[in-house]
Amino acid sequence: MEVVVKSLARLFAEAIPDIRSRAGQNLLQLCKSSVMPDFFCKPDLLRVFNRSSTSTVSWLSGASTFPIVMDLLSIPGLQRSMMFGLISSLGSLTQSTVRESNTALRKYYRDVLSKDVTAVKSFAISLRDTLQNAIKEERLLLPALNTLMQVFAAGIFCGNLDEQEPQLLIDLLDTVQHVRRSQGALKVTALVEM
């Protein structure tokens, strides 16, 4: 059951509205089902969904769903699973998806990450690990670099990690260096845009 929940959480953070909508609705149904046995992080999921008044959520709207996605990032067991989906959204080629996911990320930073250094560190570690895996997949390379650019532009790590955990920032920037050393034309083009 844990694999199903993590997969749905990843899809719920994806850039494609139909996929995001179905995954979010299915996660909600799993949580509220009386016939489903308890599963890992079910109470945390219910808390997030109940706080979001899901009866009024427009599941196809990124403006409605990305704030919920960002709240789910606070659930420790889901953060790494959701990062791949979040990277595809933040680095999407669709401007509305980028704008809505970036707005939700900045709000998440303001409301959660700016107040908790441990949450920032966890977010940075998940992002680093996901980016290192994403650069191995051609389809995620450009979104991964765009995501990294947006995270740094939002100032998410300023004042939190630069003094306390500088190695994490170095690791994130090393991801860009890895791309620079590659021979792929797409990778080099993506790097130039950064």
Side-chain angles (χ1 to χ4, degrees), residues 102-119:
N102 194 13
T103 300
L105 176 65
R106 287 174 187 263
K107 183 179 182 320
Y108 178 70
Y109 168 71
R110 198 174 48 250
D111 296 348
V112 177
L113 295 179
S114 67
K115 298 173 183 160
D116 185 2
V117 176
T118 307

Side-chain angles (χ1 to χ4, degrees), residues 27-183:
L27 264 177
L28 180 62
Q29 286 177 347
L30 281 176
C31 290
K32 293 196 172 188
S33 173
S34 59
V35 295
M36 282 301 297
D38 283 346
F39 54 88
F40 110 102
C41 77
K42 183 177 181 177
D44 295 327
L45 285 168
L46 276 171
R47 182 179 34 80
V48 168
F49 281 126
N50 288 336
R51 194 172 53 222
S52 302
S53 64
T54 52
S55 60
T56 60
V57 169
S58 173
W59 290 102
L60 289 172
S61 165
S64 293
T65 55
F66 281 119
I68 299 170
V69 167
M70 294 303 161
D71 284 346
L72 293 179
L73 280 176
S74 297
I75 301 173
L78 294 182
Q79 191 173 61
R80 287 184 187 225
S81 301
M82 294 185 72
M83 278 294 177
F84 270 107
L86 190 58
I87 283 173
S88 77
S89 295
L90 286 167
S92 174
L93 297 176
T94 308
Q95 286 302 316
S96 61
T97 302
V98 172
R99 183 179 58 251
E100 291 161 348
S101 60
N102 194 13
T103 300
L105 176 65
R106 287 174 187 263
K107 183 179 182 320
Y108 178 70
Y109 168 71
R110 198 174 48 250
D111 296 348
V112 177
L113 295 179
S114 67
K115 298 173 183 160
D116 185 2
V117 176
T118 307
V120 173
K121 183 178 177 183
S122 174
F123 182 84
I125 290 170
S126 294
L127 182 62
R128 178 199 62 200
D129 295 347
T130 305
L131 287 172
Q132 288 172 349
N133 289 327
I135 61 174
K136 297 172 188 170
E137 295 182 40
E138 288 291 321
R139 77 171 192 89
L140 285 176
L141 178 70
L142 188 57
L145 291 175
N146 284 337
T147 298
L148 191 57
M149 184 174 61
Q150 288 183 37
V151 165
F152 280 118
I156 288 178
F157 302 132
C158 292
N160 292 312
L161 292 182
D162 53 357
E163 296 169 0
Q164 298 173 4
E165 294 285 340
Q167 188 59 46
L168 273 175
L169 294 177
I170 292 168
D171 291 347
L172 285 168
L173 292 172
D174 278 349
T175 303
V176 177
Q177 292 297 329
H178 174 76
V179 174
R180 193 180 86 179
R181 282 178 260 160
S182 95
Q183 301 300 317

